[in-house]
Amino acid sequence: MRKRKLIRLNAGSSRFQMRVAGLGFRDGYVLVHRATHESFWTFPGGRAEIGETSEETLRREMMEELGIDVTVGRLLWSVENFFHYEQMDWHELGLYYLMDTPVDFPFDPDEIVHRVQDGDNDLEFKWVRATRAALVALDIPPYFIAEEIESLPPASRHLVWRDGDLDKP
């Protein structure tokens, strides 16, 4: 197995990473995931590898985590994301794409639809209503997405998001 070259830099109690995530929609729901030891959910994706495009990252992550080949759509947001997590200050470059999942990928809005071991993490995936209220109830960072989930930007948007600057929606 080859050694992965994930884009992550540590500097004392600070960390930088490049993360790519996808928003997959079906019948008014959006796919989310979490590590089972965490209380919050997020959009599926992962860290980019050196030499890999962001679209390649998203396709690789979905193959690794879901065993499916997704179609990567347009870029919704590029985000300079600043937050505190696990006693570290994070600076993350996040790229959020629309993505299409195959029609045969499980869809059940009442159940966890997929589980997988990813490194040291047990991940679970589920569909949640693509509404502000549903995303707020699940605690899905970055929190600006809840404000825009019902009306996605018509063109890619770049923004700086600091979780500490604003309260959750």
Side-chain angles (χ1 to χ4, degrees):
M1 186 170 171
R2 70 179 175 84
K3 182 166 172 59
R4 298 179 73 178
K5 299 174 188 171
L6 299 174
I7 299 175
R8 176 185 273 182
L9 301 169
N10 293 319
S13 64
S14 298
R15 178 172 283 167
F16 172 84
Q17 73 175 1
M18 181 176 169
R19 182 172 190 275
V20 183
L23 279 75
F25 293 90
R26 187 174 302 165
D27 296 334
Y29 288 79
V30 63
L31 186 64
V32 297
H33 85 308
R34 73 172 176 181
T36 56
H37 71 277
E38 296 173 331
S39 61
F40 65 91
W41 295 77
T42 190
F43 300 98
R47 287 194 312 267
E49 291 187 15
I50 293 174
E52 178 177 69
T53 69
S54 55
E55 292 92 346
E56 290 168 340
T57 296
L58 185 55
R59 284 194 301 272
R60 173 184 51 79
E61 286 288 337
M62 296 304 92
M63 185 56 73
E64 290 174 2
E65 294 177 1
L66 297 174
I68 60 173
D69 188 20
V70 299
T71 301
V72 178
R74 68 182 174 89
L75 179 67
L76 295 168
W77 302 283
S78 61
V79 184
E80 296 175 56
N81 192 11
F82 298 87
F83 56 96
H84 190 79
Y85 173 68
E86 294 182 337
Q87 291 80 47
M88 296 194 82
D89 292 316
W90 290 71
H91 177 174
E92 175 182 86
L93 174 59
L95 301 174
Y96 291 82
Y97 285 90
L98 281 174
M99 72 175 180
D100 289 326
T101 58
V103 294
D104 60 347
F105 182 74
F107 177 78
D108 184 340
D110 298 320
E111 300 290 331
I112 300 297
V113 294
H114 184 74
R115 288 185 169 85
V116 68
Q117 179 79 29
D118 183 37
D120 295 334
N121 293 314
D122 291 317
L123 300 179
E124 57 187 13
F125 294 76
K126 74 177 187 173
W127 294 93
V128 62
R129 282 216 174 273
T131 64
R132 179 190 183 280
L135 297 190
V136 169
L138 274 184
D139 187 19
I140 301 179
Y143 300 111
F144 77 89
I145 294 178
E147 296 300 322
E148 299 189 18
I149 195 70
E150 294 177 51
S151 182
L152 297 176
S156 299
R157 273 191 52 211
H158 174 80
L159 63 141
V160 175
W161 181 259
R162 296 179 188 272
D163 276 357
D165 290 349
L166 297 172
D167 292 330
K168 294 178 192 176

